[in-house]
Amino acid sequence: MNIDDKNYAHTLLPRTADEFKKMLKAVAGNTMDVNISDIMVSGHRCVFVASEGMISTQALSDLVFRPLMEFDMGRTASAEEIYTFLTRQSLMTIDRQELTTFGEVFMRLFSGFAIIFIDGLNKAISLGIQGYDKRSIENPSSDTNIMGGQDGFIEALRTNVSLVRRRIKSPLLKFELMQVGKVTKTDIAISYISDKVDKKVVDEIKKRLMDIELDTVFSSGYLKPFLEDKHKSIFSSISTTDRPDSMCIKLNEGKVGILIDGTPFATILPSEFIEEFRTVDDYSTRSFYTVYIRWIKYLSFLLAVALPGLYVSIASFHPGMLSHRLLLNLVASQESTPYSLTTEAVIITIMYEIMREAGIRLPKAVGGAVSIVGALIIGDAAVTSSLISAPLLIIIGLTATASFVIPGLNQQTSVLRLVYIAAGGLFGLYGISILTIIIIANTCVLTSMTVPYTAPLSPLTTNRLTNILGRPSFLNLQKTKRRVEDLNGVKK
Amino acid sequence: MKISSWQLLILLFLSRIFITITYFTLEDVSPSVMMSTTAFSVAADMILVIPAIILYKKYPNENVIRSAFEISKSFGIVLFVLYFIFAIFMIFRTVRFFLYFFENAFLNLLPTLVVGAMLIAAAAYVGHLGIEAAARSSSIVFVAFLLLIIAVIATTAEDFDLNNYYTEPVGTNDILNGVVHGISRSSEMVVLVLLLPYLKNGIGKSVYGFLILKLLFVEMIALLCILFLGGYMAAVPFPFFTVCGFAKAPFVERLDAAFLVVWTLMGVIKLSLYTISLRPSAVLLKPLNNNAVTNLVPFVLGGVPALYFAYKEQMIIPLLDNEITACAVLLLGSLVPLAVLILRRLKHEKN
């Protein structure tokens, strides 16, 4: 039978070991990481295939080779007898599967399974003895907290699955495995709690994922455009987290999580705007403090987005709003600088973004140096040499600090800040107003799987307003069933 | 795409209250007459909306134009043209009103054409996003409006003079004028009969909730202006704006700029409603069934002349607030829906 890299996926396995090896080599070519060996098991010929670096050599020797070598029937065993031994009589590994096509063989092979083909049978057995190197579980990098769990997702899908499973021991928590990416065949696990989730949402997500025809999938960013609804918005109705506890909380609300092999972030949908202001710590601290911190975060978001724009617009177009003393101070500081306030604000904002980006991309040790150069040398020198006014530097510094409070919205705040400066600098508060209504509408149009992004504020879901003002008490949480589908504005 | 009764209520309310905070004056009547005629005008509204309520209850997924199409296609087309012209007229009127106010309240802040073009572009964008975006945005704008009102009341309360409010007997002519004046400012009655297919449920809650909220806030704003400005209210062109200008908060010397922000947000929502309301019926007519066409044509036909008149500094005051507008609102907001209901019933009986 002719086999090549186009038709291998559905080609059935042959009966003989020679033909199996030939066909395997025809597809895999001379790739160095596929090891093919002939072994004799109780006098019967088998073919052992594994991908180098993907399996555990310890597990291979203890769980596979030793039992196979010790399996001796005192005569040449038949293919069926070896097959029965491998599938029913041995305890080599729990994760074993019968394979009938080359597509299945390659999928399992490159997922770290060992493949055993038995001469005379047109099927093979895959044995899960994965042992590739992976990062150990560490603190989450982007969503740090004080009181909650300190373990974060890593790049290995199965480890991430276990992190979630360890926290939700219910059989109702499901993980459905599928592959996306025509070339990469990336494993993804769709997870949900079956009695909390809307089954139609899960089906829709699966349908959208199956329709993806990308060659490669390396992170959640590859999937997001296919999972989002059609409207283009600056915000995303799909969130990501690298915290297993955070994912569990969201699964319990009836949301769906998608774990992608190779990325330490879980994709969660549907997602609401208000979620960006919630942290696991909210549920570990006293409620009055949670309310206080929640409102600090709202204020931080507004400051991060609009403060420089408001400052520029008020100082340039509506100075009457400011008290005389403040106005005099501003005028005095502005007098010595060569540029207009808007130009200054744009320059310093872009400078800040350059330094922030440099700080992120550079190695940690050097990243700190960039901050020192930016904050102390350039900032101080710019004010001393009267290139930039001191109040504006304070405003931008405050804005930058505020933006760190809501890391999940960092992309949006960075861009909106600059747009607000432009709108405020060119058109005053009128420009700010027009921009604001455009952004509000652009955000409000966003819906993910029937749930509006701006819920529960708009459409208003009164019994979920505590989620905006602070957090619901645990007494309240145990009494009410909170499901994300209740946020779509339809009363049931 | 459906919206809740609360969302419809807020949309209609913002659209109506935009007019009140823009231009609201004592003219030649006493405070008590003005406030009582406002109440009569709302009472009249409550009667005029009855055909719209019946229309929704009988045909919940149809607006007045779709119902007319069920009677005959030509009747439907005629009505569509009428409502289309009304939308263009209202866009013209709102943009011109907005620019007139802007020119006078915020002297030389920005070139008029730029202000108008930005307003139209923003409204066209919101209109393009559709009813759900507009409805959800309106809830947020409503909160901003409430905060403004609270801030203005809190910061001006110590300057209220109760002597500014005095009573006078209300005559029949006053009531009639008040009702006509009120109807002429109630283009929402027309928008309502077009927005009906978007409503999930609770028409009574929406409509009567809107009218009660409107009564409450119009009277509140009137009282606020009367108590703060007294006799000056008749002399200043924009009383509420003037009150905001005098309001002084701890961090802000005056609240007129805050007024500008909220007022602009409301103006955009109001304008977008006119094209959104046309969409359910436009789908029946080619080439207007194209979303972009339905959205852009009224803004071009209504907005560009408004910009032109603003540029030429021609106000056309009589066109903005008169009996003709009241007649149009009465006809399209109440009489036409009533006629459609009767004709449809007759057709049903005939069949």
Side-chain angles (χ1 to χ4, degrees):
Chain A
M1 184 190 237
N2 282 333
I3 185 169
D4 54 33
D5 53 3
K6 300 277 188 308
N7 67 358
Y8 77 93
H10 301 291
T11 304
L12 294 173
L13 300 183
R15 290 193 84 84
T16 65
D18 287 334
E19 209 173 339
F20 173 73
K21 282 168 69 177
K22 195 177 142 194
M23 291 168 86
L24 202 65
K25 283 177 180 169
V27 179
N30 57 354
T31 179
M32 54 78 72
D33 63 330
V34 174
N35 295 328
I36 306 169
S37 334
D38 281 315
I39 53 170
M40 301 299 284
V41 179
S42 191
H44 191 97
R45 188 184 175 196
C46 295
V47 179
F48 176 83
V49 192
S51 180
E52 195 174 305
M54 297 289 281
I55 55 169
S56 155
T57 47
Q58 180 74 35
L60 178 66
S61 113
D62 292 348
L63 299 176
V64 181
F65 282 165
R66 183 174 295 166
L68 284 178
M69 292 304 105
E70 286 171 358
F71 176 63
D72 185 3
M73 297 190 74
R75 56 176 170 83
T76 304
S78 69
E80 281 76 18
E81 283 169 335
I82 295 172
Y83 178 76
T84 308
F85 170 73
L86 284 172
T87 55
R88 293 187 207 139
Q89 291 171 357
S90 68
L91 289 172
M92 293 174 169
T93 167
I94 299 165
D95 194 358
R96 56 190 159 188
Q97 194 184 329
E98 181 184 300
L99 314 172
T100 54
T101 64
F102 276 97
E104 291 170 349
V105 167
F106 280 109
M107 173 57 65
R108 306 289 277 188
L109 178 64
F110 294 129
S111 299
F113 287 72
I115 312 291
I116 298 174
F117 178 84
I118 308 158
D119 187 39
L121 279 186
N122 56 349
K123 51 193 172 188
I125 310 292
S126 69
L127 303 168
I129 50 166
Q130 295 96 323
Y132 39 78
D133 288 333
K134 61 189 178 196
R135 190 163 59 94
S136 59
I137 295 171
E138 292 167 3
N139 280 351
S141 58
S142 66
D143 194 4
T144 50
N145 78 95
I146 304 161
M147 313 279 277
Q150 303 294 328
D151 50 349
F153 286 130
I154 60 166
E155 286 76 8
L157 174 68
R158 280 170 176 78
T159 309
N160 293 344
V161 167
S162 72
L163 288 173
V164 177
R165 174 62 77 187
R166 227 171 59 194
R167 287 173 166 86
I168 303 178
K169 298 178 182 73
S170 162
L172 300 176
L173 170 65
K174 313 284 183 197
F175 292 97
E176 290 190 31
L177 193 69
M178 60 190 291
Q179 277 86 34
V180 288
K182 284 195 289 186
V183 173
T184 56
K185 306 280 184 206
T186 310
D187 281 336
I188 59 168
I190 303 169
S191 58
Y192 56 88
I193 298 177
S194 57
D195 71 331
K196 306 262 183 185
V197 77
D198 183 353
K199 201 74 180 75
K200 278 184 263 174
V201 169
V202 179
D203 292 341
E204 178 63 24
I205 290 170
K206 281 197 277 189
K207 185 180 165 295
R208 290 189 191 185
L209 288 172
M210 278 190 281
D211 289 345
I212 294 175
E213 296 208 339
L214 284 178
D215 281 347
T216 56
V217 171
F218 292 120
S219 70
S220 59
Y222 287 66
L223 304 183
K224 278 183 182 178
F226 300 94
L227 295 169
E228 283 174 338
D229 288 348
K230 61 181 178 178
H231 285 297
K232 288 191 166 51
S233 173
I234 50 164
F235 290 92
S236 171
S237 57
I238 297 171
S239 63
T240 52
T241 179
D242 58 352
R243 301 187 59 83
D245 47 5
S246 180
M247 178 169 165
C248 292
I249 290 170
K250 288 167 186 177
L251 291 180
N252 192 45
E253 289 173 357
K255 295 178 181 176
V256 179
I258 301 173
L259 294 164
I260 305 163
D261 194 28
T263 172
F265 287 91
T267 305
I268 313 278
L269 70 161
S271 170
E272 306 112 54
F273 177 71
I274 212 73
E275 256 179 44
E276 302 293 347
F277 299 86
R278 279 162 52 185
T279 60
V280 177
D281 274 343
D282 290 352
Y283 295 88
S284 309
T285 50
R286 303 285 293 168
S287 54
F288 73 87
Y289 185 70
T290 306
V291 174
Y292 172 65
I293 290 297
R294 185 68 60 84
W295 283 91
I296 290 286
K297 285 179 191 165
Y298 294 147
L299 181 66
S300 299
F301 175 70
L302 292 177
L303 292 179
V305 170
L307 183 63
L310 279 173
Y311 171 73
V312 168
S313 69
I314 290 172
S316 307
F317 288 84
H318 313 273
M321 283 181 79
L322 304 171
S323 67
H324 294 303
R325 195 174 289 251
L326 179 60
L327 196 59
L328 285 174
N329 283 344
L330 292 182
V331 170
S333 65
Q334 204 56 41
E335 276 295 305
S336 55
T337 59
Y339 303 114
S340 72
L341 196 55
T342 312
T343 315
E344 261 183 60
V346 170
I347 289 171
I348 198 164
T349 304
I350 290 174
M351 271 170 58
Y352 159 69
E353 291 296 338
I354 290 169
M355 281 175 219
R356 190 181 63 85
E357 196 61 18
I360 293 169
R361 306 292 161 203
L362 280 169
K364 276 182 187 171
V366 191
V370 170
S371 308
I372 295 166
V373 170
L376 295 181
I377 302 174
I378 299 180
D380 186 51
V383 174
T384 318
S385 62
S386 298
L387 279 173
I388 303 288
S389 64
L392 188 62
L393 202 65
I394 294 168
I395 296 273
I396 299 293
L398 179 62
T399 303
T401 313
S403 67
F404 298 142
V405 177
I406 330 112
L409 294 173
N410 189 47
Q411 295 171 34
Q412 287 80 11
T413 49
S414 296
V415 175
L416 287 178
R417 189 182 306 136
L418 203 58
V419 180
Y420 263 99
I421 291 172
L426 292 172
F427 307 110
L429 277 179
Y430 179 68
I432 297 264
S433 315
I434 290 286
L435 180 62
T436 302
I437 189 69
I438 286 173
I439 290 165
I440 289 175
N442 179 272
T443 311
C444 286
V445 77
L446 203 56
T447 301
S448 172
M449 306 289 162
T450 74
V451 176
Y453 184 60
T454 46
L457 181 65
S458 185
L460 191 68
T461 312
T462 42
N463 62 352
R464 301 289 279 272
L465 273 181
T466 42
N467 257 352
I468 297 179
L469 305 172
R471 72 156 167 86
S473 70
F474 285 105
L475 289 173
N476 182 271
L477 279 174
Q478 69 176 0
K479 279 182 201 156
T480 51
K481 200 173 181 182
R482 307 171 79 80
R483 288 155 61 112
V484 70
E485 61 192 272
D486 299 335
L487 295 173
N488 63 6
V490 182
K491 282 191 178 169
K492 295 198 174 118
Chain B
M1 283 191 293
K2 292 273 183 184
I3 58 171
S4 67
S5 51
W6 168 254
Q7 286 178 319
L8 180 63
L9 184 162
I10 296 298
L11 273 174
L12 297 174
F13 172 73
L14 290 183
S15 174
R16 173 62 183 85
I17 212 72
F18 170 78
I19 297 287
T20 301
I21 65 169
T22 309
Y23 184 70
F24 186 73
T25 182
L26 263 181
E27 292 177 348
D28 297 325
V29 292
S30 69
S32 64
V33 171
M34 187 178 76
M35 291 187 69
S36 43
T37 52
T38 302
F40 279 114
S41 137
V42 173
D45 287 346
M46 286 187 171
I47 297 164
L48 295 176
V49 291
I50 291 172
I53 293 173
I54 299 172
L55 189 70
Y56 179 80
K57 293 215 164 161
K58 279 194 173 283
Y59 315 106
N61 292 316
E62 293 177 12
N63 63 14
V64 66
I65 302 173
R66 273 187 172 241
S67 275
F69 268 96
E70 293 295 321
I71 297 164
S72 85
K73 193 179 174 186
S74 49
F75 185 42
I77 292 171
V78 169
L79 281 198
F80 182 82
V81 171
L82 275 178
Y83 282 96
F84 195 76
I85 292 169
F86 181 79
I88 291 168
F89 170 69
M90 287 310 300
I91 287 171
F92 168 79
R93 179 182 143 139
T94 308
V95 173
R96 185 65 195 95
F97 223 153
F98 188 96
L99 295 177
Y100 174 74
F101 181 91
F102 201 96
E103 286 160 10
N104 288 278
F106 303 98
L107 297 169
N108 300 324
L109 194 65
L110 290 168
T112 306
L113 284 183
V114 172
V115 173
M118 285 170 71
L119 178 75
I120 292 169
Y125 177 70
V126 177
H128 163 74
L129 294 179
I131 187 74
E132 283 185 328
R136 291 175 200 161
S137 306
S138 68
S139 301
I140 296 164
V141 176
F142 178 68
V143 173
F145 169 72
L146 281 184
L147 292 176
L148 175 72
I149 290 285
I150 292 167
V152 172
I153 293 174
T155 51
T156 55
E158 63 180 20
D159 296 320
F160 287 167
D161 185 353
L162 293 178
N163 294 323
N164 287 339
Y165 186 85
Y166 57 93
T167 54
E168 267 183 9
V170 184
T172 319
N173 272 349
D174 293 331
I175 295 172
L176 201 61
N177 285 338
V179 169
V180 171
H181 183 76
I183 293 173
S184 76
R185 297 173 148 235
S186 298
S187 63
E188 297 69 40
M189 314 285 269
V190 182
V191 172
L192 172 69
V193 296
L194 297 176
L195 287 178
L196 292 175
Y198 287 127
L199 182 64
K200 264 182 220 148
N201 48 34
I203 179 78
K205 190 176 154 190
S206 277
V207 173
Y208 288 110
F210 154 60
L211 291 175
I212 290 166
L213 206 62
K214 167 183 155 182
L215 176 67
L216 194 72
F217 273 88
V218 171
E219 297 282 31
M220 189 198 292
I221 290 169
L223 194 62
L224 173 70
C225 295
I226 289 163
L227 293 180
F228 189 81
L229 295 173
Y232 288 112
M233 191 175 164
V236 294
F238 314 117
F240 185 66
F241 171 73
T242 309
V243 175
C244 291
F246 279 104
K248 184 178 175 177
F251 298 104
V252 182
E253 284 291 300
R254 38 198 289 181
L255 286 176
D256 52 353
F259 169 91
L260 168 70
V261 174
V262 177
W263 175 71
T264 307
L265 301 181
M266 289 162 75
V268 172
I269 294 282
K270 181 179 174 68
L271 276 172
S272 68
L273 265 189
Y274 292 115
T275 54
I276 291 171
S277 63
L278 287 173
R279 207 167 296 162
S281 15
V283 293
L284 302 167
L285 294 165
K286 284 182 181 174
L288 290 171
N289 56 355
N290 182 309
N291 190 357
V293 175
T294 323
N295 195 38
L296 285 179
V297 170
F299 278 116
V300 172
L301 295 180
V304 173
L307 289 182
Y308 173 78
F309 283 118
Y311 182 67
K312 292 282 178 188
E313 297 182 355
Q314 292 172 8
M315 185 50 213
I316 326 174
I317 278 279
L319 203 59
L320 297 180
D321 199 24
N322 61 9
E323 289 80 6
I324 298 169
T325 319
C327 288
V329 171
L330 189 63
L331 179 74
L332 299 175
S334 192
L335 297 180
V336 168
L338 186 65
V340 167
L341 276 171
I342 294 168
L343 289 173
R344 206 150 171 200
R345 170 106 194 213
L346 289 175
K347 190 180 178 187
H348 181 69
E349 283 173 2
K350 196 176 164 187
N351 287 340

